[in-house]
């Protein structure tokens, strides 16, 4: 580090949330030339013309109750100018239970839409052309099943699969360490993910069959550096599995995508994406000899909001989301969705969802931030911080490699413990005021805390009963013998690694087999993941 200007050395120590000590001023000799956009290693973006040639996709994460209610919300958002859909699934669907399962009944439709069979997928997209809309599904344990269901719905609409665009999250590794909607043990889950990616390469070449997600480890407590490092380590684990299965890395890497949360330190968040994009390209080229530039592209979507939003003085969240939206654009995101201010405590209302959508539209059309590529590029501070973050990301990834890799770290519980320790550190810092959250632990307004939040979303309690009735009706009306044959074939194929399971899952969906039925057949072969306990 160069000498600081006179008078700067005695300033109080300041660090980013990742613990990187920030100089009072960064001088030219501390920063390096970042290169040009659209050229390896893509520090300044994967496209030479940035957002001029391709604006980011505007999505809003939405879905609740039954398929009918969610279809209405999707149509409303599309009418307001949203350019892509992002489907939230309820916990029973995420965890592989049908709505009539004892574990499911209290949660039907509460944090997302209930999607138990092809009949519900058809209803969910009624009046929406799957060939002209990009759809993202936030689903992991049952991702291959939901992807199969989406293909079956496209088949029923008569939409060629090659026209389908979108993403299915399908990142099980982060579920084991951050969210918990895992079902099967790690290694058969990796097989199922590889099956879906390889199948998608052939059947839906414009659809991303995985979105490797750092978002949830970040909300679980990690720093920005750790979020990116753990995510890239998971990405390499999937690459290794796909290579083991005979996949061509130069081909399947073109459809790998990533997904992150954006938190409140604007410069650290923007630099996180710049450093991660550069590091991913270097890793693919250095480890696997990938030279195809499109295969080196680090394509990612983000959520602006998450654990950075708080229930105290919730209208402050509008400002937080706008700052995070700006950071995502400055970092070069391809897809953005903005949380509504009330998501800290409830499913958004139409008013709050529209306001979140308008936030993106104002940033895109009024702020001027998308007029030129990587407008922060060349800033001494930004280039210095990007370099520092890349160095720290490499260090964290080296610690994972030294332990034995991501899969071993998860099976042993080593990675889960690291994240838990970091989460406690973050909470302790908030509790003692070292980490300031305006309106919650500083500048509290007690009278405002007691005020109502305006319109409150309430899920109709009759929805669960309607979902249960529809579930029973589907099973009554379908060809039971056809469904049983399809499920038998799936179970037989799962017992060995000789077949790709995706065609069999699609057949099960066409036969109106349910999510719970397909999961139970796979459990017979693979069992369930048992979370390790480490003291």
């Amino acid at each position: 580090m160069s000498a600081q200007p006179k008078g700067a050395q005695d300033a109080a120590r300041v660090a980013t949330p990742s613990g990187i000590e920030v100089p009072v001023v960064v001088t030219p000799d501390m920063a390096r030339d970042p290169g040009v956009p659209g050229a390896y290693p893509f520090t300044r973006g994967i496209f030479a013309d940035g957002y001029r040639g391709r604006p980011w996709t505007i999505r809003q994460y939405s879905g609740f109750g039954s398929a009918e209610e969610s279809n209405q919300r999707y149509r409303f958002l599309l009418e307001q100018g949203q350019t892509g859909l992002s489907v939230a699934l309820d916990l029973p669907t995420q965890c592989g239970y049908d709505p009539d399962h004892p574990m499911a009944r209290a949660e039907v439709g509460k944090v997302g839409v209930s999607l138990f069979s092809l009949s519900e997928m058809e209803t969910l997209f009624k009046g929406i052309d799957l060939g002209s809309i990009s759809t993202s599904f936030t689903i992991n344990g049952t991702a291959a099943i939901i992807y199969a269901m989406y293909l079956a719905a496209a088949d029923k609409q008569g939409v060629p699969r090659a026209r389908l665009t979108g993403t299915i999250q399908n990142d099980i590794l982060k579920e084991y360490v951050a969210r918990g909607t895992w079902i099967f043990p790690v290694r058969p889950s990796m097989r199922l993910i590889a099956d879906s990616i390889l199948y998608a390469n052939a059947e839906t070449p414009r659809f991303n069959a995985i979105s490797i997600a750092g978002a949830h480890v970040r909300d679980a407590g990690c720093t920005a550096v750790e979020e990116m490092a753990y995510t890239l380590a998971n990405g390499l684990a999937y690459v290794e599995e796909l290579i083991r299965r005979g996949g061509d890395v130069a081909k399947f890497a073109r459809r790998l995508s990533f997904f992150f949360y954006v938190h409140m330190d604007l410069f650290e968040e923007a630099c996180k994406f710049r450093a991660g994009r550069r590091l991913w390209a270097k890793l693919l080229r250095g480890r696997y000899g990938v030279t195809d530039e499109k295969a080196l592209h680090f394509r990612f979507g983000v959520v602006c909001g998450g654990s950075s939003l708080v229930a105290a003085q919730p209208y402050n969240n509008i400002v937080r989301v706008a700052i995070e939206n700006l950071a995502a654009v400055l970092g070069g995101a391809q897809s953005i969705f903005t949380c509504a201010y009330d998501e800290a405590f409830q499913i958004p209302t139409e008013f709050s969802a529209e306001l979140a959508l308008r936030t993106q539209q104002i940033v895109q059309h009024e702020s001027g931030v998308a007029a030129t590529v990587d407008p922060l590029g060349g800033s001494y501070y930004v280039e210095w911080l990007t370099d520092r973050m890349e160095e720290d990301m490499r260090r964290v990834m080296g610690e994972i490699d030294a332990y034995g890799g991501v899969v071993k770290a998860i099976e042993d519980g080593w990675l889960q413990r690291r994240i838990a320790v970091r989460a406690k550190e973050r909470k302790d810092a908030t509790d003692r005021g070292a980490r300031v959250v305006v309106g919650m632990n500083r500048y509290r307004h007690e009278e405002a805390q007691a005020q109502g939040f305006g319109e409150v979303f309430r899920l109709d309690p009759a929805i669960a009963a309607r979902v249960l009735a529809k579930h029973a009706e589907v099973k009554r009306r379908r060809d039971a013998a056809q469904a049983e044959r399809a499920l038998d074939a799936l179970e037989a194929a799962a017992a060995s690694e000789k077949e790709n399971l995706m065609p069999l899952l699609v057949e099960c969906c066409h036969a109106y087999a349910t999510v719970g039925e397909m999961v139970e057949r796979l459990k017979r072969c693979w069992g369930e993941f048992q979370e390790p306990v480490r003291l």
Side-chain angles (χ1 to χ4, degrees), residues 36-274:
V36 296
Y40 178 87
F42 310 107
T43 308
R44 303 195 63 192
I46 59 177
F47 302 120
D49 56 356
Y51 295 124
R52 284 194 180 191
R54 187 179 314 192
W56 68 86
T57 301
I58 296 177
R59 300 186 193 275
Q60 293 303 107
Y61 185 55
S62 53
F64 61 92
S66 71
E68 287 84 357
E69 285 80 17
S70 293
N71 175 265
Q72 291 175 15
R73 176 63 63 87
Y74 294 162
R75 291 161 76 100
F76 167 78
L77 289 169
L78 291 170
E79 288 166 2
Q80 302 309 311
Q82 182 170 301
T83 56
L85 296 175
S86 184
V87 180
L89 286 304
D90 71 357
L91 283 176
T93 306
Q94 292 184 49
C95 295
Y97 296 116
D98 281 349
D100 64 344
H101 192 283
M103 290 284 288
R105 293 192 179 210
E107 293 295 332
V108 172
K110 280 195 174 177
V111 299
V113 60
S114 173
L115 207 57
F116 59 81
S117 80
L118 174 59
S119 63
E120 296 302 276
M121 185 72 84
E122 291 175 280
T123 301
L124 186 66
F125 292 104
K126 186 176 181 180
I128 299 172
D129 177 12
L130 297 184
S132 62
I133 194 72
S134 173
T135 307
S136 169
F137 292 91
T138 302
I139 191 76
N140 298 280
T142 54
I145 293 172
I146 298 302
Y147 172 50
M149 203 181 290
Y150 192 63
L151 296 183
D155 294 343
K156 297 276 281 189
Q157 276 195 10
V159 175
R161 294 179 181 180
R163 284 182 57 199
L164 297 177
T165 61
T167 303
I168 194 151
Q169 193 165 97
N170 204 15
D171 175 10
I172 200 63
L173 292 177
K174 66 95 177 57
E175 291 297 314
Y176 296 118
V177 299
R179 280 192 76 241
T181 64
W182 39 259
I183 302 171
F184 313 112
V186 180
R187 295 177 195 275
S189 292
M190 293 290 280
R191 173 205 174 172
L192 199 55
I193 288 169
D195 280 354
S196 58
I197 294 172
L198 294 172
Y199 186 76
N201 285 170
E203 291 289 313
T204 55
R206 300 175 64 205
F207 193 93
N208 302 322
I210 190 169
S211 181
I212 306 155
H216 306 97
V217 295
R218 183 67 185 283
D219 262 16
C222 289
T223 66
V225 163
E226 291 167 334
E227 175 192 16
M228 186 62 70
Y230 294 157
T231 305
L232 296 188
N234 287 349
L236 294 179
Y238 293 125
V239 168
E240 294 285 353
E241 177 66 15
L242 286 161
I243 291 172
R244 187 185 72 82
R245 291 284 302 277
D248 178 358
V249 64
K251 181 178 181 181
F252 67 69
R254 285 174 168 238
R255 301 318 306 173
L256 299 179
S257 64
F258 295 84
F259 177 70
F260 300 93
Y261 272 134
V262 187
H263 280 216
M264 281 297 293
D265 189 302
L266 184 142
F267 289 103
E268 184 173 74
E269 293 301 309
C271 291
K272 172 181 77 178
F273 299 126
R274 297 171 92 251

Side-chain angles (χ1 to χ4, degrees), residues 218-368:
R218 183 67 185 283
D219 262 16
C222 289
T223 66
V225 163
E226 291 167 334
E227 175 192 16
M228 186 62 70
Y230 294 157
T231 305
L232 296 188
N234 287 349
L236 294 179
Y238 293 125
V239 168
E240 294 285 353
E241 177 66 15
L242 286 161
I243 291 172
R244 187 185 72 82
R245 291 284 302 277
D248 178 358
V249 64
K251 181 178 181 181
F252 67 69
R254 285 174 168 238
R255 301 318 306 173
L256 299 179
S257 64
F258 295 84
F259 177 70
F260 300 93
Y261 272 134
V262 187
H263 280 216
M264 281 297 293
D265 189 302
L266 184 142
F267 289 103
E268 184 173 74
E269 293 301 309
C271 291
K272 172 181 77 178
F273 299 126
R274 297 171 92 251
R277 180 166 51 235
R278 182 167 75 196
L279 181 53
W280 180 249
K282 289 178 179 179
L283 289 168
L284 288 188
R285 178 173 284 191
R287 292 194 184 191
Y288 308 107
V290 178
T291 56
D292 181 342
E293 292 215 336
K294 288 189 176 179
L296 297 174
H297 283 179
F298 179 82
R299 296 170 300 107
F300 68 97
V302 302
V303 180
C304 302
S307 70
S308 63
L309 307 187
V310 296
Q313 298 183 22
Y315 297 121
N316 294 346
N317 292 333
I318 299 169
V319 180
R320 293 187 175 103
V321 168
I323 291 171
E324 292 171 0
N325 191 174
L326 185 61
V329 174
L330 293 171
Q334 277 69 62
S335 173
I336 300 174
F337 62 85
T338 37
C339 286
Y341 71 85
D342 51 355
E343 285 192 61
F345 54 88
Q346 69 169 11
I347 292 173
T349 63
E350 278 199 0
F351 171 80
S352 64
E354 183 179 350
L355 182 58
L357 175 61
R358 296 291 179 249
T359 301
Q360 285 208 59
Q361 291 166 333
I362 290 168
V363 171
Q364 188 171 88
H365 297 291
E366 296 186 35
S367 72

